[in-house]
Amino acid sequence: MSTLEERLREEMARAVAPVRPEPDPYARLLRRRRRRGWRWGSTALAAAVVAAVLGAQALVAPSNPSPNPTPEPPPYFRESNDVALDHWGRDIIAASTRGNAAQADPALVEALRQALDRVRRSWAINPALDRIKVLYIVDVGGSRAYAAAYYNNERVQFVAAAAPAGSGADALVSTDHGMQTGALEPFTLGGDAGKYTIAMVPPGCLAAPSAATKVGPDSSLQQTWAQGAAFVVEDRPALQRWWKISCDGVVREVLVAGSLDGPHGPGTPPPAERGHADPEVVAQLLRYWPPLPGLDVRDRRIVWGGTVEGESRSVAVGVGKLGDGSAVVVAATGKGDGYLVTSVKPDTDLEQGAMPSAQVTTAVSPRSDFVAVRLPAEDHRSLSDRLLVLAPPGAVELRAGSGPGAETKVTLADGVGVLHVPVPAKVIIRAVDAQGRTVAELTVSEPRNTTQILAGQGLMRNWD
């Protein structure tokens, strides 16, 4: 191994360690997405977090000369990251180069294209990718950022980087500033974690971040989506936001961008308000409690702990109260390495390997004293048909149904009961007292036509 390669490995390990905490349950969840190599953005993968926080400096070796340079240093990337070129990628490539810097200085576009052509060998670009398209050049947040595609009729490789604002073509391709490479996705999300956002979709599509998020009366998230555009540049952080991408009125993708690692360390687990919570499970709950964009949790409580029907492992439930009285609900099941469960159905791409020893599920409720949260399936990395319900004080029974007619009745134990309801469900749950009077009512209406549910928000990806 050359000195240059050794330095690269050491620098990557040093740089990545503080910004990608382990374990990263949501990154593992999304690992099934079709990906080859590193890329700049497009959802919540930990690679996007690393690139945004470090300005992409950890992904390419610095250009400082080695103390013992070889006559011809090896390529920075040992294998080409090109992928099949689909019709969405063709539409992106066919569009005019976007961005304020490209519009202000059209000559810069051609200069950058030529500079990219000169560095193709050192970047180990597949020689068969004989064409280059600069997709955008943008001055934003004190930086000049760009993205480009090396391509031919069948294959494509996406590259992106940033340098100080006003940089010329040679500085933009300098490895002093780092770069990323990988698949050209229909939705690419890049920028700086603390400064700016760049989002790009094919012409005719709209990328819209959520301008406001709140809990609806049916225990789902209600988003106020921005108007959206095919190219979005904003002087605000790239991560911790919900996004919706639609093309000709058809929603193609809904996602949360940013790491969903919990912000809390184990600490000293507080006691549960009800039940008998295992301190280790409570610690897991606090550790993996995901931060959810737009939901400012002001008070976290451990409301119940114990073992429920159909579950051999200990469960702990936490409620995070929001300013309007609504709440985020998080349940941890089991001990050990946590895994955030959001899949509506078992996914064969996620079933490989051993099942995680601890699983975390999420929900929202319009009120903090009456909540319901899905438990994870025991034999799959997906949501089960068991809805754990915590009723208000004074309730002794749950009565649940989807409308007028027969109701399912469940006797409560210490105010807790389990309903068997397939996901996604729409159910009205009444908590009644010993005299049969309704103490409180809760509507749970889970989003449909989605592959994943995260705290009442449906997530999906359909670019086929």
Side-chain angles (χ1 to χ4, degrees):
M1 182 184 298
S2 70
T3 302
L4 179 62
E5 288 177 300
E6 290 176 342
R7 290 180 59 200
L8 173 57
R9 288 177 181 272
E10 293 172 359
E11 185 65 18
M12 287 181 69
R14 180 196 65 77
V16 172
V19 297
R20 186 177 187 268
E22 288 292 348
D24 185 355
Y26 194 62
R28 291 200 303 274
L29 174 71
L30 293 178
R31 195 170 292 160
R32 63 181 174 83
R33 293 169 60 97
R34 56 186 183 91
R35 273 293 177 282
R36 292 180 179 88
W38 298 95
R39 68 186 178 88
W40 199 16
S42 172
T43 81
L45 293 176
V49 181
V50 172
V53 173
L54 300 180
Q57 295 183 43
L59 303 182
V60 175
S63 60
N64 296 334
S66 168
N68 299 298
T70 57
E72 200 158 326
Y76 295 119
F77 298 97
R78 310 305 300 175
E79 297 180 2
S80 178
N81 287 323
D82 60 286
V83 298
L85 179 59
D86 61 17
H87 74 92
W88 300 110
R90 296 181 199 279
D91 289 347
I92 291 173
I93 290 172
S96 300
T97 301
R98 312 183 214 192
N100 56 5
Q103 295 172 358
D105 186 3
L108 176 61
V109 177
E110 176 59 21
L112 178 56
R113 191 196 65 80
Q114 293 180 15
L116 289 166
D117 195 34
R118 290 194 298 271
V119 299
R120 63 164 56 241
R121 185 174 182 280
S122 63
W123 288 2
I125 303 297
N126 186 343
L129 305 179
D130 56 353
R131 281 162 275 174
I132 301 172
K133 175 60 181 285
V134 177
L135 304 176
Y136 64 75
I137 313 177
V138 176
D139 284 332
V140 59
S143 297
R144 172 165 286 178
Y146 75 90
Y150 292 89
Y151 71 103
N152 58 22
N153 290 336
E154 304 297 332
R155 310 286 293 178
V156 63
Q157 181 167 334
F158 176 84
V159 298
S167 294
D170 290 338
L172 289 172
V173 300
S174 168
T175 55
D176 286 341
H177 306 293
M179 56 89 71
Q180 284 196 339
T181 180
L184 174 59
E185 295 285 344
F187 173 51
T188 60
L189 178 63
D192 185 285
K195 293 182 180 179
Y196 61 89
T197 297
I198 303 173
M200 179 178 66
V201 292
C205 299
L206 298 175
S210 176
T213 303
K214 68 177 183 179
V215 178
D218 61 351
S219 302
S220 66
L221 285 189
Q222 294 182 343
Q223 305 285 1
T224 301
W225 299 105
Q227 184 174 357
F231 189 59
V232 178
V233 179
E234 296 180 338
D235 281 308
R236 59 170 294 179
L239 302 182
Q240 299 308 120
R241 303 174 73 182
W242 304 96
W243 287 84
K244 180 180 74 172
I245 297 87
S246 57
C247 303
D248 298 322
V250 177
V251 177
R252 294 290 181 178
E253 189 163 2
V254 179
L255 67 149
V256 55
S259 173
L260 289 180
D261 284 324
H264 305 283
T268 301
E273 297 174 8
R274 284 188 278 177
H276 304 281
D278 187 315
E280 289 186 50
V281 180
V282 173
Q284 294 293 100
L285 171 62
L286 295 174
R287 180 179 182 186
Y288 295 115
W289 189 304
L292 300 167
L295 299 177
D296 183 18
V297 175
R298 300 184 178 184
D299 178 41
R300 290 176 173 80
R301 299 155 42 218
I302 307 302
V303 294
W304 181 82
T307 303
V308 298
E309 172 197 350
E311 180 61 67
S312 60
R313 299 170 294 179
S314 294
V315 179
V317 180
V319 168
K321 191 172 182 180
L322 304 175
D324 61 358
S326 61
V328 173
V329 190
V330 181
T333 303
K335 308 173 186 178
D337 189 12
Y339 188 95
L340 181 59
V341 177
T342 64
S343 293
V344 172
K345 298 179 180 179
D347 189 326
T348 55
D349 289 339
L350 289 175
E351 301 309 313
Q352 300 175 3
M355 286 290 294
S357 53
Q359 295 169 292
V360 176
T361 52
T362 57
V364 291
S365 174
R367 51 190 296 173
S368 62
D369 64 341
F370 194 6
V371 301
V373 60
R374 288 276 175 191
L375 292 174
E378 288 196 283
D379 54 351
H380 294 286
R381 301 181 185 187
S382 58
L383 299 169
S384 74
D385 67 347
R386 292 171 294 136
L387 199 61
L388 180 63
V389 181
L390 282 73
V396 298
E397 185 179 72
L398 298 177
R399 297 180 182 177
S402 57
E407 290 183 313
T408 299
K409 297 182 180 181
V410 173
T411 300
L412 297 173
D414 199 19
V416 177
V418 175
L419 295 171
H420 290 266
V421 186
V423 57
K426 182 174 183 180
V427 60
I428 299 173
I429 307 170
R430 293 191 300 124
V432 301
D433 62 17
Q435 287 73 44
R437 295 173 299 195
T438 298
V439 175
E441 186 173 285
L442 177 69
T443 298
V444 175
S445 184
E446 294 169 319
R448 299 180 181 274
N449 301 318
T450 184
T451 56
Q452 301 174 53
I453 299 175
L454 175 64
Q457 174 64 57
L459 306 178
M460 64 168 292
R461 175 182 168 87
N462 179 22
W463 291 98
D464 296 332

